[in-house]
Amino acid sequence: MRSVLFAILVGLVGAALLHIVIVLALPQFTGKDAYSRVLGLYEMDSFFALGNEPGTTGLANEDPFLRVAVCGFSVSSGPARFLAKGSVPFWSLSIYDADSNEIFSMNDHTAVNGNLDLVMATPIQLVDLRKTPPESLAQSIMVEMPDEEGYAVLRALAPTDSFQEPARNFLAESSCEPFRR
Amino acid sequence: MFRIPLLVALALCVAFGVGIVSTVSALKATVGFGAIALGPWVAFPDAQTANTDPYAKAHRARAGKLLYGGAEGLQFTASIDSDGQKLSSGCSYDITGVTPPARFWTLYATNANDQPMKTDPALPGAINAWTVLRQPDSSFIIHVSPVAEPDNWLAVRRIGAFKLVLTLLDTPTAGSSGLIDLAMPKIVKTGCPDA
């Protein structure tokens, strides 16, 4: 009887260890995390506007008033530049790394002239850009990217049906491209 | 003769069974630590950041949602009413009061698994800061009900338990520490009409 209790006790200790191991290891192998889903769209270096129904990747416009576009990007070969302009009542952008940690977020009130113009670059690329600033980046916000890969989420607000068209156009005309001098 | 192998098997069964069940239930029960609760409304302002806890990281990796960044907004979810009872789509609720300061807010309903509730597109399944009808003091009353209501009506389908999602866009709430003083609208049950 005592040995059965001892076995259960050992089992409970093992359960606690297993609990900790699963929680810590889960982000590495779910395959359902937001970055894997963004990569599953097979659309690198351009904003992909999501539909209202979850597609094969399970990403969709969840909020009925917010239209969402995502873009997977990499700064390994050069900085990435994000551009968007248009007349929507509100837009916002978040940049996440491959582990879905927020690196940077902004909205139209924190942008220059209300237009999105953002450059993500590695620390070395940033030094290079600041030493000889290209003319076209005079108005750009430059942000350091700790990792090489990540994804961007751009949201445009359509409070009523008449704003659906501008919001769609705003996302369709936004760009997420490697920056070349 | 089989005593030792049996005991080993018992220990392993307990370890894997309890370990997996406790992990799955813990990740289902909550988004993680660091929640701010204002009445029935719960939000996780740090769930998308790098310095959140391991439970939140595991939860967001499993859910795979596109979370809101700090400058974008803060999402509050309510699965209970102001009396602490679970929201049920068989009942009608009144959401009364004002939201914390924000440039915009949206309100919609989800099912118990956080998927948007599919209401008839002809019915008002979501309300926002521009479309809501307000009192003279700019507070509002929103009727959440499966049957039609006058004034602000948020239509829900009869699917049992559901949640309400209130998203504040560009709000100082996300970075504020004095959250306890902020007023969120109350959710009051007004009755359960017969099906």
Side-chain angles (χ1 to χ4, degrees), chain A residues 19 63 92 94 96 101-102, chain B residues 48 55 60 67 71-72 106 128:
Chain A
H19 180 90
D63 194 307
S92 65
S94 300
Y96 294 91
N101 292 317
E102 179 190 354
Chain B
Q48 82 284 4
Y55 282 95
R60 76 184 180 206
L67 298 175
E72 297 197 275
T106 70
N128 64 43

Side-chain angles (χ1 to χ4, degrees), chain B residues 158-185:
Chain B
R158 294 179 192 275
I159 55 162
F162 73 105
K163 293 181 183 177
L164 290 166
V165 178
L166 179 67
T167 310
L168 306 174
L169 294 175
D170 191 9
T171 172
T173 314
S176 159
S177 55
L179 281 163
I180 297 95
D181 296 338
L182 291 173
M184 287 291 281

Side-chain angles (χ1 to χ4, degrees), chain A residues 65-109:
Chain A
F65 301 111
L66 285 171
R67 304 198 67 85
V68 185
V70 294
C71 168
F73 67 95
S74 166
V75 293
S76 56
S77 57
R81 190 176 190 196
F82 303 88
L83 289 170
K85 62 173 160 192
S87 51
V88 284
F90 172 87
W91 60 257
S92 65
L93 174 91
S94 300
I95 308 282
Y96 294 91
D97 67 9
D99 297 327
S100 298
N101 292 317
E102 179 190 354
I103 297 171
F104 180 75
S105 69
M106 65 185 291
N107 60 49
D108 52 346
H109 270 196

Side-chain angles (χ1 to χ4, degrees), chain A residues 1-177:
Chain A
M1 195 59 211
R2 271 179 64 188
S3 52
V4 171
L5 281 178
F6 182 69
I8 292 176
L9 197 70
V10 169
L12 286 177
V13 172
L17 282 175
L18 194 66
H19 180 90
I20 294 169
V21 168
I22 295 177
V23 167
L24 289 179
L26 202 58
Q28 274 88 50
F29 65 82
T30 56
K32 290 194 293 184
D33 62 295
Y35 183 58
S36 309
R37 291 184 184 203
V38 170
L39 289 187
L41 297 168
Y42 299 110
E43 283 271 334
M44 289 296 274
D45 297 332
S46 75
F47 274 111
F48 183 88
L50 301 177
N52 287 334
E53 294 293 320
T56 48
T57 58
L59 292 175
N61 295 327
E62 299 217 327
D63 194 307
F65 301 111
L66 285 171
R67 304 198 67 85
V68 185
V70 294
C71 168
F73 67 95
S74 166
V75 293
S76 56
S77 57
R81 190 176 190 196
F82 303 88
L83 289 170
K85 62 173 160 192
S87 51
V88 284
F90 172 87
W91 60 257
S92 65
L93 174 91
S94 300
I95 308 282
Y96 294 91
D97 67 9
D99 297 327
S100 298
N101 292 317
E102 179 190 354
I103 297 171
F104 180 75
S105 69
M106 65 185 291
N107 60 49
D108 52 346
H109 270 196
T110 49
V112 182
N113 302 330
N115 296 331
L116 169 63
D117 186 352
L118 172 73
V119 172
M120 297 297 295
T122 61
I124 297 168
Q125 291 162 354
L126 267 187
V127 170
D128 194 38
L129 284 177
R130 292 208 170 114
K131 227 188 282 171
T132 50
E135 193 79 347
S136 56
L137 295 189
Q139 298 268 303
S140 301
I141 300 171
M142 296 193 201
V143 177
E144 185 179 314
M145 186 88 185
D147 291 338
E148 292 200 332
E149 266 140 43
Y151 64 95
V153 181
L154 183 64
R155 292 181 167 93
L157 180 69
T160 55
D161 279 345
S162 55
F163 280 100
Q164 292 284 357
E165 192 72 34
R168 239 194 307 270
N169 290 342
F170 177 81
L171 294 184
E173 286 163 20
S174 60
S175 74
C176 153
E177 289 167 347

Side-chain angles (χ1 to χ4, degrees), chain B residues 34-83:
Chain B
I36 49 171
L38 300 168
W41 302 97
V42 181
F44 297 87
D46 293 328
Q48 82 284 4
T49 58
N51 41 16
T52 187
D53 58 283
Y55 282 95
K57 285 186 179 172
H59 184 274
R60 76 184 180 206
R62 259 181 110 231
K65 298 232 178 207
L66 301 171
L67 298 175
Y68 288 86
E72 297 197 275
L74 186 62
Q75 192 164 54
F76 283 90
T77 310
S79 56
I80 54 173
D81 63 16
S82 291
D83 293 331

